[in-house]
Amino acid sequence: MRMWAGSRAVRSSLLMLLLTAANVGAPPPTLSEDDLGGSGRGGRHKRRAFPGPHFHPTSPTNVTAQLAAHAYLPCRIKNLGNKSVSWIRNRDSHILTVDRYTFIADERFAAWHQAATQTWTLQIKFVQERDAGSYECQVSTEPKMSHFVQLDVITPQVTIAGEADIYVNSGSTVTIKCVITQALEEPNYIFWYHDERRVVSAGSGRVLTVDRILPDTSVGSLTIPAVALSDSGNYTCAPASLSQASVMLHVLSGEHPAAMQRGTTSTTDTSGGPELRLHQSALMAALISLLLCVCSPSFT
């Protein structure tokens, strides 16, 4: 009996050991430093299983756009969860967008989400000078989280190289240069107008070119070979979506070479040669002397 009781106790112990081994779970996972809070001393570790939304440090705070171009203001948010993202214009506190919905009548504004980079981008089409200012990317946490982006609008300058009036002899070649500075982008086109007519190169012998000479400077050139009197008039440079610049072209017949050296209109000298001018000066002096004698009190 004693042996049976002993073997029975052994079998019970083995059975309990097997049942216990079957119910043992996998060992707890090792926590990384990112999952732990505190200093890690004294066993006082806390798991941060679901960190809340936060702005990515690469989100820009300044964006520069060219007048009439498109501006893109990105806002990168990590762990957004089920929160909403709004874009607000600070100068008037106008809510522009909430998530993908637009709340302004101005169709130039829109927002979209890039899931791969967790970025919400505000787009402003055909930027105007009044669009410059601060914009707020706001997350609907409590309290609200905000990231601010300053938009600067650059207005390119358009000028005609040289004077406001150009004087050339007929039969010569003239080149008019339109200089566009402070431009972040090249113009899509540059149109030229002679008075009210658009200048075209096909079949006219005129040459139209556009060159990017500096990172922020473009030059559009209009070359007219063998100019004629009919080429005289106003020439206007009209870059795409930018201001215009004009110049007056004066085509001369060759009898006024002095006028070509000046930037303003000159008048024709009709006073005659040196001898005639000397005679006129002497006559004027005699007339002045006679008048002084007549007006003198002693003249009786």
Side-chain angles (χ1 to χ4, degrees), residues 15-27:
L15 180 59
M16 290 299 297
L17 181 62
L18 290 172
L19 291 173
T20 303
N23 291 329
V24 172

Side-chain angles (χ1 to χ4, degrees), residues 4-197:
W4 170 250
S7 76
R8 192 175 171 184
V10 170
R11 284 185 297 175
S12 297
S13 299
L14 290 174
L15 180 59
M16 290 299 297
L17 181 62
L18 290 172
L19 291 173
T20 303
N23 291 329
V24 172
T30 302
L31 299 179
S32 65
E33 293 183 0
D34 291 337
D35 296 325
L36 300 177
S39 62
R41 296 184 178 180
R44 300 171 62 184
H45 299 299
K46 295 182 180 179
R47 180 189 294 271
R48 295 188 305 176
F50 299 101
H54 59 279
F55 296 106
H56 198 278
T58 60
S59 294
T61 57
N62 289 88
V63 172
T64 302
Q66 180 174 304
L67 182 72
H70 296 349
Y72 303 94
L73 282 60
C75 181
R76 191 175 179 186
I77 308 168
K78 305 287 286 186
N79 303 319
L80 180 62
N82 62 351
K83 304 301 181 183
S84 294
V85 178
S86 303
W87 276 102
I88 303 170
R89 185 171 56 195
N90 277 0
R91 66 176 169 85
D92 56 2
S93 299
H94 198 302
I95 298 176
L96 304 173
T97 63
V98 177
D99 294 336
R100 292 182 176 87
Y101 299 97
T102 303
F103 290 89
I104 186 172
D106 192 338
E107 296 181 352
R108 299 181 302 122
F109 292 88
W112 71 81
H113 180 226
Q114 294 172 306
T117 59
Q118 303 180 59
T119 302
W120 287 89
T121 300
L122 175 67
Q123 173 186 260
I124 309 175
K125 296 181 178 179
F126 311 111
V127 170
Q128 303 172 10
E129 290 182 344
R130 61 184 176 88
D131 293 325
S134 179
Y135 292 81
E136 177 182 353
C137 172
Q138 186 182 95
V139 180
S140 63
T141 54
E142 287 298 337
K144 299 291 190 294
M145 295 172 49
S146 296
H147 173 76
F148 296 91
V149 181
Q150 177 69 31
L151 173 63
D152 297 319
V153 178
I154 299 297
T155 303
Q157 302 300 309
V158 182
T159 57
I160 299 290
E163 302 288 346
D165 292 85
I166 301 176
Y167 296 87
V168 295
N169 279 326
S170 60
S172 59
T173 297
V174 62
T175 298
I176 306 174
K177 293 183 179 294
C178 178
V179 183
I180 306 170
T181 58
Q182 303 177 29
L184 302 179
E185 304 176 10
E186 283 191 72
N188 293 330
Y189 58 82
I190 297 178
F191 287 160
W192 286 91
Y193 293 90
H194 178 203
D195 294 329
E196 300 298 327
R197 302 183 306 276

